[in-house]
Amino acid sequence: MSPRPLAVVTGATAGIGHVFAQRLAAAGHDLLLVARDHVRLDAVCAALAASHGVAAEPFVADLSVDTDMARLADRLRAEPRLAFLVSNAGFGTRGTLLTADPEKQRQMLRLHVTCTHELVSAALPGMTERAAGTIIVVASVASWSPTAGNVNYNATKAYQRVYCEAAATELEGSGVHIQALCPGFTYTEFHDRLGSGRKGIPGWAWLSAERVVDESLAQARSRGAVVCVPGKRFKLIVFLLKHAMWVPGGLRQRYRRDRLRVE
């Protein structure tokens, strides 16, 4: 058995998940990387293993499917080296409750809500027994912004954030740290998959995935606040969303548009 700690990252082939995999491999973790596209996943694992001299194992799964979710949860329970879990897999949709694809909405609920709980619950027994471990759940700035056209996306991201905040109170003194990472607009494939791209979103509003991950990891390693909002601009936006009815520059109005979602 490898002496290195193991990091598990879901949604690991692109964007924030890929950067987490890179950073954790560079820090000396073996990797179990989870994604649906086996060709892309195999390539990412091979590249990270070659670059960092760690083991990188692909785990092909669609985590919106109960059987795949259960397979991964079983694997987490059986891993004595599990030190890091990044629950990053997620997606957005277009349309209102009346117009959006109902099955896509159900998939989102399973992936963002049920899967979050199942994976965290599977990781916790071993981590608490070893009195060590870090769990990062990738939520969103959108968790503070109930908007038309984003009902289930925003609601499930709010669930993830509150879940982590509540779980942290149970984990005090356990040696296990949990974080809700709440990025704003991030350069990834997320908006491209929605079909909206980056049109109409000013350049200053975007952060790189590298910056998002680096701020998240720095806050987690220092055992900082449970909620991590990368970037001063988004910390300000969150403050205003929590405490005011307006956002400078009309951003709150933009948050109401169904085509515009944060990561």
Side-chain angles (χ1 to χ4, degrees):
M1 181 182 294
S2 170
R4 291 183 291 267
L6 179 70
V8 177
V9 183
T10 71
T13 55
I16 288 173
H18 189 207
V19 176
F20 266 116
Q22 291 174 324
R23 296 296 193 260
L24 291 167
H29 291 78
D30 283 341
L31 301 172
L32 180 68
L33 302 184
V34 185
R36 294 177 298 171
D37 185 337
H38 73 91
V39 174
R40 199 172 182 185
L41 185 58
D42 287 346
V44 167
C45 286
L48 290 173
S51 298
H52 300 288
V54 299
E57 178 185 349
F59 191 103
V60 179
D62 180 347
L63 295 178
S64 70
V65 176
D66 289 344
T67 52
D68 283 8
M69 193 190 308
R71 282 196 303 116
L72 181 57
D74 288 343
R75 181 66 183 273
L76 296 183
R77 291 186 191 96
E79 282 292 347
R81 297 183 296 127
L82 180 61
F84 225 106
L85 170 63
V86 180
S87 181
N88 166 71
F91 67 94
T93 59
R94 295 174 61 87
T96 67
L97 290 175
L98 291 173
T99 63
D101 181 343
E103 180 53 31
K104 282 291 185 183
Q105 298 301 300
R106 287 189 285 268
Q107 288 175 0
M108 181 182 291
L109 290 167
R110 289 194 295 268
L111 182 58
H112 294 180
V113 176
T114 305
C115 187
T116 294
H117 170 68
E118 291 298 324
L119 297 189
V120 172
S121 295
L124 281 180
M127 286 184 171
T128 54
E129 183 178 346
R130 294 184 294 274
T134 300
I135 297 170
I136 295 176
V137 176
V138 180
S140 175
V141 163
S143 67
W144 285 280
S145 178
T147 55
N150 298 332
V151 172
N152 277 317
Y153 182 80
N154 292 11
T156 56
K157 290 299 170 178
Y159 168 86
Q160 291 175 327
R161 173 173 55 81
V162 175
Y163 183 92
C164 291
E165 291 177 303
T169 66
E170 297 185 351
L171 294 171
E172 287 182 9
S174 70
V176 180
H177 181 72
I178 190 166
Q179 178 192 100
L181 170 58
C182 297
F185 297 118
T186 305
Y187 285 118
T188 69
E189 297 176 357
F190 182 86
H191 288 84
D192 297 330
R193 290 196 300 267
L194 277 174
S196 56
R198 300 162 191 167
K199 183 179 179 181
I201 306 171
W204 61 262
W206 294 90
L207 296 177
S208 69
E210 289 77 11
R211 179 172 175 184
V212 167
V213 171
D214 288 343
E215 289 196 25
S216 170
L217 288 174
Q219 187 164 313
R221 285 168 179 152
S222 68
R223 294 303 195 246
V226 175
V227 176
C228 176
V229 180
K232 291 181 179 178
R233 72 201 71 169
F234 286 107
K235 287 180 174 64
L236 175 61
I237 288 170
V238 166
F239 175 84
L240 293 169
L241 287 171
K242 289 165 66 176
H243 299 289
M245 295 303 295
W246 56 274
V247 172
L251 274 180
R252 188 170 181 85
Q253 181 179 358
R254 284 197 174 276
Y255 270 74
R256 295 180 185 277
R257 298 182 183 177
D258 68 347
R259 68 178 183 84
L260 198 57
R261 293 161 180 78
V262 292
E263 183 73 26

